[in-house]
Amino acid sequence: MSNNAFKILSIDGGGIRGIYPAKILSELEQKLELSGKKITDLNQYFDLICGTSTGGIIALGLALGMKSEDILNLYSENANLIFRNKRDVLTSLFHPFYQRENLQEILKKEYSKFSIDGDTRLGHAKTRVCIPVYNAGEGRVSVLKTSHHKDLKRDYQYPAHDVALSTAAAPLYFKPHSFSFIKKGQTHKEDIINYIDGGVFANNPTLIGLLEAIETLRIPIEKIKILSIGTGTKVFRERSMSKRWGVFYWANPKGPKIIDLYSSSQSDDIANTVKYLNQGVGLNNSKKFYYKRIQFEFKENENIGLDETNPEKLNLLIQKAEEAVKKYGDDIIKEFCSDRITPYTPIHKL
């Protein structure tokens, strides 16, 4: 076991483009197996896993014990089911593009496998987790966390699938997620009102993970290693001055430009901020911690929306992921998977 490095995995939001990080992680697990490692579960190699939106679904799955290949299959086999029966333009003026019942059923079924009674909570995670959401019921940003500090007494009781549905409730695509739960050992029901996709403020949750390690867990910054995986960025560009810039331009159901704008700009800003915190201005400064960001930019003819279901386009994400693993895979295994983490023990247990 290694007590030296504190290793963080961060996964961006991006809807169905979660196929990209899921494939990368699946390839890493295969590399571990081929190298003779008896333990290939990635939750045994990362001290903290952060994920936003689709990245939150992946992060929770990994932390609970799902194989990356199973998470990848969840996406590739259910894209048409999750993004089914998109509402027309007129209906979308009053309702989100999709209903979430199919996604809810899929996540509840998959996560239920990781508790004895099927009532899987965030606290069943086998490593620390941070999942950003926007709490519209109380009008504030929030990060849902496992009980890795004595003051973290509530979130770990949340049903795991409800946490995932909350961080994946992207505006325009799904309605905000509300749910009720009963704390273990109690009878009083608590209501959670209108949680929204954490991507509205932290589509790239890397900085959340870094601050959690430094400020909550008091990890020296020089001991931190971060693997941050994006979902492909579609840079927002518009050079025409004749556009009307109205609601239909920004929120067109065929491809809402407002989503491209805020998600790509946020992700890039956080990536640059973490890079700046790591090495300051310029590339010659000494680095304070190990930081690897894996991301790619879509070309003009590679438009893959958050709700894409075209098999050819989804396969492009697979190809991009394979290219990334070919380029970075050996270094990632060396830096993050040479030694397992010290076993995680939550402060407050279920």
Side-chain angles (χ1 to χ4, degrees):
M1 302 292 180
S2 173
N3 293 313
N4 294 322
F6 185 90
K7 296 176 289 186
I8 301 172
L9 172 61
S10 175
I11 310 169
D12 285 16
I16 199 63
R17 301 200 302 247
I19 285 176
Y20 178 75
K23 178 60 176 177
I24 288 175
L25 297 170
S26 176
E27 291 285 316
L28 293 179
E29 285 187 349
Q30 289 182 31
K31 279 181 170 289
L32 287 173
E33 185 175 357
L34 291 173
S35 70
K37 293 279 189 182
K38 294 182 179 180
I39 303 297
T40 60
D41 292 350
L42 292 179
N43 61 36
Q44 296 296 304
Y45 294 95
F46 289 93
D47 297 276
L48 172 63
I49 304 179
C50 306
T52 300
S53 194
T54 195
I57 292 174
I58 297 171
L60 283 165
L62 291 176
L64 289 170
M66 286 184 72
K67 291 289 187 181
S68 297
E69 184 176 2
D70 292 334
I71 297 174
L72 176 62
N73 291 336
L74 183 153
Y75 280 88
S76 58
E77 294 175 3
N78 293 290
N80 283 294
L81 191 60
I82 296 170
F83 298 112
R84 183 179 182 182
N85 298 327
K86 189 173 186 176
R87 291 185 167 110
D88 58 36
V89 174
L90 182 60
T91 307
S92 297
L93 292 175
F94 306 97
H95 300 279
F97 298 154
Y98 299 100
Q99 296 179 331
R100 66 158 160 262
E101 282 72 18
N102 290 333
L103 177 60
Q104 182 168 345
E105 183 178 339
I106 291 166
L107 293 178
K108 191 170 184 178
K109 176 183 177 182
E110 292 300 324
Y111 291 168
S112 68
K113 301 172 184 178
F114 299 98
S115 61
I116 296 176
D117 59 0
D119 182 18
T120 305
R121 309 287 180 109
L122 178 56
H124 285 108
K126 297 176 178 62
T127 192
R128 302 168 189 83
V129 173
C130 285
I131 306 292
V133 299
Y134 184 83
N135 183 343
E138 298 181 9
R140 60 182 176 84
V141 299
S142 183
V143 180
L144 306 182
K145 306 176 183 180
T146 46
S147 183
H148 49 259
H149 186 279
K150 63 181 179 63
D151 294 335
L152 301 177
K153 303 177 181 179
R154 184 191 65 173
D155 300 349
Y156 79 99
Q157 293 270 12
Y158 286 176
H161 71 280
D162 285 315
V163 173
L165 290 168
S166 296
T167 194
L172 298 180
Y173 290 89
F174 297 106
K175 67 179 181 179
H177 186 55
S178 301
F179 61 94
S180 300
F181 74 104
I182 300 174
K183 290 183 177 179
K184 295 286 188 179
Q186 298 185 13
T187 58
H188 174 68
K189 182 183 293 185
E190 297 190 27
D191 296 321
I192 301 300
I193 307 298
N194 290 341
Y195 274 2
I196 294 174
D197 189 340
V200 300
F201 72 95
N203 198 59
N204 175 352
T206 305
L207 187 57
I208 287 175
L210 178 60
L211 292 176
E212 191 71 10
I214 295 172
E215 298 299 329
T216 301
L217 299 169
R218 300 299 177 183
I219 306 298
I221 194 169
E222 64 272 11
K223 290 190 175 183
I224 293 173
K225 289 185 175 183
I226 302 175
L227 173 60
S228 176
I229 308 178
T231 57
T233 180
K234 183 185 176 185
V235 177
F236 176 80
R237 295 186 180 94
E238 182 58 82
R239 296 188 60 82
S240 173
M241 294 185 290
S242 63
K243 297 293 183 181
R244 296 181 183 272
W245 302 99
V247 171
F248 193 74
Y249 173 86
W250 288 111
N252 188 332
K254 293 183 178 180
K257 292 181 175 63
I258 189 67
I259 302 295
D260 291 333
L261 175 61
Y262 81 64
S263 62
S264 64
S265 60
Q266 277 188 38
S267 292
D268 287 350
D269 177 60
I270 294 301
N272 290 334
T273 298
V274 175
K275 183 178 179 181
Y276 182 83
L277 291 172
N278 189 21
Q279 61 188 44
V281 178
L283 299 176
N284 295 323
N285 296 341
S286 60
K287 297 179 181 179
K288 298 177 183 178
F289 55 91
Y290 185 90
Y291 172 52
K292 173 62 71 176
R293 172 72 170 166
I294 300 179
Q295 178 66 302
F296 71 94
E297 181 178 334
F298 289 108
K299 298 176 182 178
E300 289 296 327
N301 61 341
E302 295 176 346
N303 183 22
I304 300 180
L306 305 186
D307 56 350
E308 184 61 69
T309 58
N310 184 322
E312 291 184 3
K313 291 189 176 183
L314 299 186
N315 190 55
L316 176 63
L317 294 169
I318 297 292
Q319 294 174 20
K320 297 282 189 183
E322 290 173 344
E323 291 170 5
V325 172
K326 185 176 181 179
K327 185 175 182 180
Y328 303 114
D330 290 341
D331 287 341
I332 293 173
I333 293 294
K334 176 184 175 182
E335 295 292 341
F336 293 93
C337 302
S338 295
D339 299 296
R340 291 164 57 197
I341 62 171
T342 299
Y344 161 64
T345 303
I347 305 299
H348 304 288
K349 301 179 181 180
L350 292 169

